[in-house]
């Protein structure tokens, strides 16, 4: 018993030390307050709206009377979450619509967009939120490395297939959820599917850098329209995104406690995407990245126009959009 306690104490102390090094002095996040009818009459698509930041964002939008389309892979989970969100939103709330979307399948993305384009008269905001983090090496239905396929290519095709409706609905907004971990990646144009060597941490960072380069190029493409696109880095948030990360059994309780102290809640993490979806302060702003509801300065590799164009052209071919 004493040995187990000693091991737990050592492991737990190490976890706490690591958390303090990674996430020092977390500041309290001020929750945004908007008039309750801010999003009345507006339709917002949120991918991955059944958990984490997406769920919290959908709940806030519902309170602001938006028509929220939850685009989710797991419909049963989405139904449960939608019921929960409705019960929390109060008597004066918007509408929740659930639609199936599997970003690991280009066929599913095309089916979703076909349904949206047929049934929805307009889209005011598209939030590309869903993602996968440091999963074991697997491929999407179309043969892409899973993190690059879901985090970048799936949303790349989704956005392209909804652009005409977004333009017809202008002024409209596109919000792209990236991550500060983009700093540790680069675009490996020689092996985008990581078939030669798979480093799950690098592949996540690569996909998040791809989000930023996509935002940069798309903003340029949308110049002269009333459609804006901005990215954001939410910071470290307590979500299920890290479910594939292996944590020693004895350290799990201590890691959970530490996360409550050092990591943002999903609601706190949802403040910047909510800001980009709702705030009049960013009306007409495009091609930027935000953190904590303020513009963020990016590293040079995230503002490389040549790399953004190259990735754009390759991505179009990969998802079948190139002529």
């Amino acid at each position: 018993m004493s040995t187990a306690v000693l091991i737990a104490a050592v492991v737990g102390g190490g976890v706490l030390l690591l958390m303090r090094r990674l996430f020092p002095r977390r500041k309290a996040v001020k929750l945004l307050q908007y008039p309750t009818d801010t999003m009345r009459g507006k339709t917002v698509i949120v991918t991955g709206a059944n958990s984490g930041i997406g769920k919290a964002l959908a709940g806030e939008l519902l309170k602001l009377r938006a028509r929220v389309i939850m685009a989710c892979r797991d419909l049963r989970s989405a139904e449960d979450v939608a019921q929960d969100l409705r019960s929390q939103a109060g008597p004066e709330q918007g509408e929740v619509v659930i639609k199936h979307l599997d970003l690991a399948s280009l066929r599913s993305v095309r089916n979703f967009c076909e349904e949206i384009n047929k049934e929805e008269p307009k889209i005011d905001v598209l939030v590309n939120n869903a993602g996968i983090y440091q999963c074991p090496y697997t491929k999407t239905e179309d043969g892409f490395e899973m993190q690059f396929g879901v985090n970048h290519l799936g949303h790349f095709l989704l956005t392209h297939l909804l652009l005409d409706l977004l333009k017809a609905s202008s002024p409209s907004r596109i919000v792209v959820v990236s991550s500060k971990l983009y700093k540790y990646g680069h675009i490996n144009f020689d092996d985008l599917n990581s078939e030669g060597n798979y480093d799950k941490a690098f592949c996540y960072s690569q996909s998040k850098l791809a989000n930023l380069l996509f935002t940069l190029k798309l903003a340029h493409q949308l110049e002269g329209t009333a459609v804006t696109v901005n990215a954001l880095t939410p910071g470290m948030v307590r979500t299920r995104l890290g479910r594939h990360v292996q944590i020693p059994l004895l350290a799990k309780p201590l890691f959970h406690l530490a996360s409550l102290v050092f990591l943002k809640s999903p609601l706190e993490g949802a403040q910047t995407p909510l800001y980009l979806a709702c705030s009049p302060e960013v009306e007409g702003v495009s091609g930027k990245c935000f953190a904590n509801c303020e513009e963020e300065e990016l590293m040079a590799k995230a503002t490389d126009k040549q790399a953004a164009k190259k990735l754009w052209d390759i991505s179009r071919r990969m998802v079948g959009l190139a002529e």
Side-chain angles (χ1 to χ4, degrees):
M1 176 65 74
S2 59
T3 302
V5 171
L6 178 61
I7 293 174
V10 171
V11 173
V15 170
L16 288 171
L17 180 61
L18 176 62
M19 296 291 283
R20 290 193 65 179
R21 285 177 176 270
L22 290 175
F23 322 118
R25 298 185 302 277
R26 182 177 76 83
K27 296 179 180 179
V29 176
K30 183 178 180 180
L31 301 183
L32 298 173
Q33 299 290 332
Y34 292 109
T36 54
D37 61 349
T38 295
M39 299 298 285
R40 181 197 291 272
K42 294 188 176 182
T43 298
V44 184
I45 297 176
V46 181
T47 67
N50 59 322
S51 66
I53 291 174
K55 175 184 175 181
L57 175 62
E60 293 303 288
L61 291 168
L62 187 62
K63 293 175 184 177
L64 297 177
R65 304 186 186 180
R67 184 169 189 268
V68 182
I69 298 178
M70 299 174 61
C72 304
R73 180 177 57 84
D74 187 339
L75 291 180
R76 178 175 296 180
S77 171
E79 290 285 359
D80 292 340
V81 168
Q83 184 175 350
D84 186 39
L85 294 180
R86 292 186 187 103
S87 66
Q88 295 179 15
E92 297 294 330
Q93 60 180 261
E95 178 187 1
V96 177
V97 178
I98 299 170
K99 291 191 180 293
H100 180 259
L101 173 64
D102 183 356
L103 290 160
S105 165
L106 298 184
R107 174 176 49 84
S108 175
V109 174
R110 291 182 183 278
N111 290 341
F112 173 85
C113 292
E114 182 179 359
E115 191 173 338
I116 291 293
N117 284 319
K118 282 183 178 180
E119 297 179 359
E120 299 297 327
K122 65 171 185 168
I123 302 173
D124 297 282
V125 185
L126 168 64
V127 183
N128 291 339
N129 164 75
I132 189 166
Y133 175 75
Q134 294 195 19
C135 60
Y137 187 74
T138 49
K139 289 188 175 181
T140 68
E141 179 179 286
D142 305 278
F144 308 131
E145 185 275 314
M146 185 63 71
Q147 295 186 84
F148 189 75
V150 170
N151 298 351
H152 171 59
L153 292 174
H155 282 120
F156 183 91
L157 179 61
L158 175 75
T159 305
H160 273 80
L161 296 181
L162 295 178
L163 271 182
D164 286 343
L165 185 54
L166 283 160
K167 290 176 181 177
S169 310
S170 62
S172 53
R173 304 180 182 187
I174 302 168
V175 179
V176 179
V177 179
S178 182
S179 166
K180 292 186 187 298
L181 293 178
Y182 84 88
K183 298 175 181 180
Y184 304 104
H186 64 267
I187 306 299
N188 183 5
F189 287 108
D190 294 327
D191 189 12
L192 287 173
N193 286 319
S194 302
E195 294 175 330
N197 177 53
Y198 181 65
D199 180 326
K200 60 184 182 181
F202 168 80
C203 286
Y204 180 75
S205 296
Q206 174 180 243
S207 72
K208 295 290 102 179
L209 176 58
N211 292 156
L212 296 174
L213 293 174
F214 171 55
T215 300
L216 177 69
K217 180 62 177 175
L218 182 58
H220 176 71
Q221 294 289 112
L222 291 173
E223 287 179 0
T225 73
V227 183
T228 61
V229 55
N230 291 290
L232 68 105
T233 59
M236 302 304 295
V237 183
R238 295 191 304 274
T239 71
R240 294 183 62 249
L241 190 64
R243 61 190 178 276
H244 296 293
V245 177
Q246 298 298 318
I247 301 172
L249 182 63
L250 290 173
K252 283 187 176 181
L254 291 166
F255 189 89
H256 174 70
L257 290 174
S259 71
L260 295 175
V261 177
F262 297 109
L263 305 188
K264 293 179 181 178
S265 69
L267 180 58
E268 290 174 327
Q271 294 307 294
T272 303
L274 180 66
Y275 174 76
L276 293 177
C278 300
S279 177
E281 294 178 6
V282 290
E283 185 174 350
V285 176
S286 193
K288 306 297 183 181
C289 185
F290 290 76
N292 298 319
C293 301
E294 296 180 351
E295 188 176 336
E296 179 180 20
E297 185 175 352
L298 296 172
M299 295 177 69
K301 60 183 173 182
T303 58
D304 185 335
K305 293 181 180 179
Q306 185 175 356
K309 183 182 186 307
K310 184 175 181 179
L311 179 63
W312 178 278
D313 293 340
I314 292 174
S315 299
R316 281 182 60 85
R317 291 197 294 272
M318 293 178 79
V319 302
L321 287 175
E323 295 180 358

